[in-house]
Amino acid sequence: KAGVTQTPRYLIKTRGQQVTLSCSPISGHRSVSWYQQTPGQGLQFLFEYFSETQRNKGNFPGRFSGRQFSNSRSEMNVSTLELGDSALYLCASSWTGTGNYEQYFGPGTRLTVT
Amino acid sequence: SQKIEQNSEALNIQEGKTATLTCNYTNYSPAYLQWYRQDPGRGPVFLLLIRENEKEKRKERLKVTFDTTLKQSLFHITASQPADSATYLCAPADTNAGKSTFGDGTTLTVKP
């Protein structure tokens, strides 16, 4: 079974630009969660989508948004990039997204904002 | 607010010894607790899940305990090997779907 894939793997953007990251979950998984990981803040939950609906949201500004398609693939968008948005963005898929099921993480997208 | 604390940022042990990592949580009562391993530059990998009604769970050289009274989980790696060197993250979770909170992790280094 193929794992979670994320594209692109690396990205360099300029402050003020916007970026879209993509995540393809494991086949059959309906929940996709997004996380931001930085050395200082650890792994921070952004949001979770289940069956095309945002089901949970973390404490991030509205510049961070996402969506999920009918095939469970998900995209995350960050508008008006700031230097502090430089991070490793990880997506994780799960069968249902509840705490009773493990999450499978992708390799991440390394975003650098200059 | 909910808080997760994992013991000291770094843990160094000798090969063959048992590594014990701690995860303490406050201000909530998770129904489940998960442990993940993360290598540098890669996404976390799921290791074990333990439920609130389970005291202990084992998988090969790994053992996890869950004490809901102490609000603590312990993660043990027996007969540790240099290949076990990584950062280990705990993630308590409740039945509320989809929102996972991770600890900052403990970086384990096993020296040959």
Side-chain angles (χ1 to χ4, degrees):
Chain A
K1 187 187 273 192
V4 177
T5 59
Q6 291 187 246
T7 56
R9 292 292 312 279
Y10 302 92
L11 206 49
I12 300 175
K13 289 286 187 178
T14 303
R15 198 171 56 180
Q17 288 185 315
Q18 75 162 17
V19 66
T20 298
L21 312 181
S22 181
C23 172
S24 292
I26 289 173
S27 177
H29 285 188
R30 295 166 65 188
S31 168
V32 174
S33 296
W34 287 90
Y35 297 85
Q36 180 195 67
Q37 188 171 38
T38 59
Q41 296 295 320
L43 201 59
Q44 301 289 311
F45 173 79
L46 281 156
F47 30 66
E48 184 244 0
Y49 286 86
F50 183 82
S51 294
E52 302 179 65
T53 300
Q54 186 181 86
R55 192 164 59 172
N56 282 281
K57 190 176 187 305
N59 298 320
F60 279 80
R63 299 185 297 107
F64 292 82
S65 63
R67 59 178 175 168
Q68 186 180 34
F69 302 95
S70 58
N71 61 358
S72 291
R73 190 177 71 84
S74 178
E75 287 183 347
M76 188 191 98
N77 184 275
V78 187
S79 62
T80 320
L81 284 166
E82 300 177 359
L83 295 178
D85 297 332
S86 293
L88 180 66
Y89 289 88
L90 294 158
C91 85
S93 77
S94 174
W95 178 244
T96 67
T98 67
N100 196 27
Y101 287 90
E102 61 267 31
Q103 297 185 74
Y104 293 84
F105 284 81
T109 295
R110 172 74 63 184
L111 172 65
T112 302
V113 182
T114 61
Chain B
S1 61
Q2 297 176 350
K3 190 174 180 182
I4 303 168
E5 289 184 337
Q6 294 192 239
N7 66 322
S8 62
E9 287 188 13
L11 182 63
N12 299 308
I13 64 169
Q14 208 65 35
E15 183 177 7
K17 300 292 185 182
T18 296
T20 299
L21 286 65
T22 304
C23 175
N24 295 299
Y25 55 91
T26 54
N27 296 327
Y28 67 131
S29 299
Y32 315 96
L33 195 142
Q34 302 182 9
W35 283 88
Y36 290 79
R37 168 187 171 137
Q38 186 174 24
D39 292 285
R42 308 186 75 167
V45 174
F46 171 79
L47 295 174
L48 280 168
L49 179 152
I50 187 166
R51 296 173 175 77
E52 63 178 340
N53 61 350
E54 298 175 316
K55 295 296 183 185
E56 179 180 299
K57 200 153 191 181
R58 294 173 184 263
K59 178 183 177 183
E60 298 173 351
R61 295 184 295 111
L62 309 180
K63 184 179 85 170
V64 171
T65 62
F66 193 10
D67 190 325
T68 55
T69 301
L70 292 179
K71 293 186 180 293
Q72 180 183 79
S73 175
L74 298 179
F75 178 81
H76 307 271
I77 305 175
T78 58
S80 60
Q81 306 166 359
D84 294 327
S85 299
T87 296
Y88 292 86
L89 305 164
C90 74
D94 55 29
T95 53
N96 185 25
K99 188 166 184 174
S100 293
T101 305
F102 284 78
D104 288 340
T106 297
T107 299
L108 171 68
T109 301
V110 181
K111 299 181 179 179

